[in-house]
Amino acid sequence: MPSDHLLATVSALKNGLTSLPLGSAMDNTETWQQQFLQSGQPGLQDIAREIGNLQSLLTSGALSATAIGNSLAILGDQTSQASAQAPADLKKPLVELADLLRRHADSLLAHAQKSKK
């Protein structure tokens, strides 16, 4: 897992979900998905499958804050688990990425709840 790509992903998410153009987001997730699928590690392959689910949600045409929020929460949890086995230099950015994913998930899910009321 290239640390430059990891740091770029963390930086992009810090700016908020909507600051990243959809094309860039799709390219970013595609890169991660390919690396994780080829890793041979079941935990990373699970993340790759959830990334595929997120990509489908983002390109479906009818964006669902609840579905996207749930996917981001799953990715946050999976990333947190992966950080436990990561090399020392990647642990901190992976934990930060997991926290950012969960924070964006919580925000989307809270927005979706308000919209229903």
Side-chain angles (χ1 to χ4, degrees), residues 40-62:
Q41 298 177 25
L44 295 182
Q45 290 172 331
D46 288 345
I47 293 174
R49 283 187 277 284
E50 188 56 39
I51 288 172
N53 179 50
L54 178 61
Q55 289 171 327
S56 295
L57 294 170
L58 292 173
T59 57
S60 69

Side-chain angles (χ1 to χ4, degrees), residues 32-84:
W32 284 117
Q33 186 180 36
Q34 291 308 311
Q35 289 175 354
F36 290 165
L37 283 174
Q38 295 165 6
S39 71
Q41 298 177 25
L44 295 182
Q45 290 172 331
D46 288 345
I47 293 174
R49 283 187 277 284
E50 188 56 39
I51 288 172
N53 179 50
L54 178 61
Q55 289 171 327
S56 295
L57 294 170
L58 292 173
T59 57
S60 69
L63 298 178
S64 163
T66 301
I68 293 169
N70 287 332
S71 181
L72 290 174
I74 290 168
L75 285 168
D77 290 344
Q78 290 172 325
T79 302
S80 180
Q81 291 169 2
S83 73

